[in-house]
Amino acid sequence: MRRIRFPKRYWIVILTFIATCVCYIERVGFSIAYTVAADAVGVNQSSKGTILSTFYYGYACSQVPGGWAAQKIGGRRILLLSFVIWSFTCAFVPLDPNRVVTLVVARLLVGVAQGFIFPSIHTVLAEWVPPHERSRSVSLTMSGMYLGAAAGMLLLPSLVKFRGPQSVFVAEAALGAMWSLLWIKYASDPPRPEHPKATAASFGESSLLPMKRSQKVKVENGGSSVKTASIPWKNIIFCLPVWAIVVNNFTFHYALYVLMNWLPTYFEQGLQLSLQDMGSSKMLPYLNMFIFSNIGGVVADHLITRKILSVTATRKFLNTIGFLVASFALMALPLFRTAGGAVFCSSVALGFLALGRAGFAVNHMDIAPKYAGIVMGVSNTAGTLAGIIGVDLTGRLLEAAKANYSDLSTPDSWKEVFLIPGLLCTFSTIVFMLFSTGEKIFD
């Protein structure tokens, strides 16, 4: 029998999937470990929110530079550098809530390093993955975030219980180091566009991706390399479809980061539950995100390749369904006062948010395949600002609610926390419906 050859781009997608998985194990891990350590020494909710949000300040600062560096130096190299930096930081920084300056500097550094990851990944995928595979490839890669969050929620509370909060940092550093070795061994730059293997593998543009006539002529006659082309910054900044992506990225990450950082507190103080006693149920919201993200990718590629819907209609359809259902689920979450009800409602909210990523999150590659890392950097900056604003604001809202209601066990104390992302989801749906497109805008 002839040996079946596994295409190299599949390995790249799998490795980027593992990368996002490891990154979110780190983020959830810090939230869990720091919460336990901070509660042990009596740190208040507002101060916890400040420390938890510090990561996002560094993360926001490096999004656009990360896209630029990936564009100029190469996404493969920048991705490796990012992993090395944050893994070393986790390995050597002590988790002591009383050493505030040390923790702030460390979280800023980890945030800066991880800020290079997603622009680099989008640059790598735009180079390796042909247009008709982009929805499911990006969805699979990004679903690693949710599987990582699910794994972190399932395993790390027990690790903290038996080995202490510092053990989480050690485990995260080890995972980062192992991924780096795999990336060094198996990752490479894609073949040149003029190379026969590149043509056979469908690299470059495809008829499945709509583009203007002038752009088709340029592609057919050959164009300048991505890395040497000037970046159309002005056009990107003033482009309404880019802003449609930006607004939805902000909303998605506001909801995700608020739930990721504060859901453990909601379970423990809002519902008076123990994360250890909840068993595997606490990971279901993130596992649901993993499942729905991949469903969204497969459905999107099916609708596009079978020409059932245009690229534009497909993106708007999935984005609208995802965000509207998530909006209702988020606003209903404080009404559920049992473990099963809260897990179900948060699972629906996060699952449909992930489904919506097959709309806005792949749209970078639709409108600007050559500058996917740059546009991702711009939109992810907004997503990171959502983390800064959402995580810190939630801490302040809860501190105020605690003063008004004496504790955080009442539904009213959490109402505003979940109402804000719910309303943002509705607003973002309208923006994406009005201004987004699936056609290539930037050449």
Side-chain angles (χ1 to χ4, degrees), residues 313-329:
T314 297
R315 302 294 179 229
K316 291 183 177 183
F317 173 67
L318 290 169
N319 198 85
T320 299
I321 290 178
F323 274 58
L324 284 183
V325 174
S327 175
F328 290 115

Side-chain angles (χ1 to χ4, degrees), residues 233-256:
W233 288 108
K234 183 177 180 181
N235 292 338
I236 289 173
I237 296 301
F238 290 99
C239 178
L240 285 178
V242 169
W243 279 101
I245 298 172
V246 167
V247 169
N248 280 264
N249 206 331
F250 179 93
T251 295
F252 174 87
H253 284 97
Y254 187 103
L256 175 62

Side-chain angles (χ1 to χ4, degrees), residues 241-312:
V242 169
W243 279 101
I245 298 172
V246 167
V247 169
N248 280 264
N249 206 331
F250 179 93
T251 295
F252 174 87
H253 284 97
Y254 187 103
L256 175 62
Y257 289 151
V258 165
L259 289 176
M260 188 170 68
N261 285 279
W262 290 104
L263 205 54
T265 303
Y266 179 65
F267 285 140
E268 292 192 330
Q269 297 190 33
L271 301 179
Q272 304 294 306
L273 301 169
S274 168
L275 287 177
Q276 284 82 15
D277 295 340
M278 287 179 67
S280 60
S281 65
K282 59 182 174 287
M283 66 174 278
L284 290 179
Y286 303 107
L287 184 60
N288 211 40
M289 291 191 85
F290 170 75
I291 294 170
F292 273 70
S293 177
N294 286 290
I295 290 174
V298 172
V299 170
D301 279 348
H302 176 77
L303 293 174
I304 292 169
T305 55
R306 297 295 179 90
K307 301 188 185 299
I308 298 171
L309 292 176
S310 67
V311 176
T312 299

Side-chain angles (χ1 to χ4, degrees), residues 14 20 43 48 68 75 120 206 266 280 283 285 302-303 399 426:
I14 291 171
T20 61
V43 177
K48 283 167 62 178
W68 177 87
S120 299
S206 165
Y266 179 65
S280 60
M283 66 174 278
H302 176 77
L303 293 174
E399 196 65 27
T426 302

Side-chain angles (χ1 to χ4, degrees), residues 351-368:
F352 276 87
L353 275 174
L355 183 76
R357 285 190 69 96
F360 80 91
V362 192
N363 205 212
H364 307 87
M365 296 184 184
D366 297 328
I367 66 174

